[in-house]
Amino acid sequence: MIRAVLVILGVVGALVGGLLTLRASTRLGMPSEDVIERAKRREAERRARAGTDDDDQQA
């Protein structure tokens, strides 16, 4: 009986530990906010240039 309780507690402890680790490392590989903002700006500029280039080719 005691052995079963210890096994159950060990499994529950491992699951909780794994979930806490997963929660802590969720955004580990994400770049900082300023990097994301610069990328968004570059993408908007690229789209704007591509839009004007397309207009020039159609005329």
Side-chain angles (χ1 to χ4, degrees):
M1 176 70 180
I2 292 175
R3 185 176 277 177
V5 170
L6 289 176
V7 169
I8 291 172
L9 286 176
V11 170
V12 169
L15 287 174
V16 169
L19 289 174
L20 289 175
T21 301
L22 184 63
R23 181 176 176 260
S25 64
T26 299
R27 298 192 63 144
L28 190 61
M30 291 292 292
S32 62
E33 287 295 322
D34 63 322
V35 172
I36 293 172
E37 288 301 317
R38 283 194 311 246
K40 286 179 182 177
R41 251 192 325 255
R42 282 194 309 267
E43 178 63 17
E45 291 170 1
R46 186 193 64 81
R47 286 182 186 227
R49 279 195 310 269
T52 56
D53 292 345
D54 291 342
D55 292 341
D56 292 341
Q57 291 175 358
Q58 291 175 356

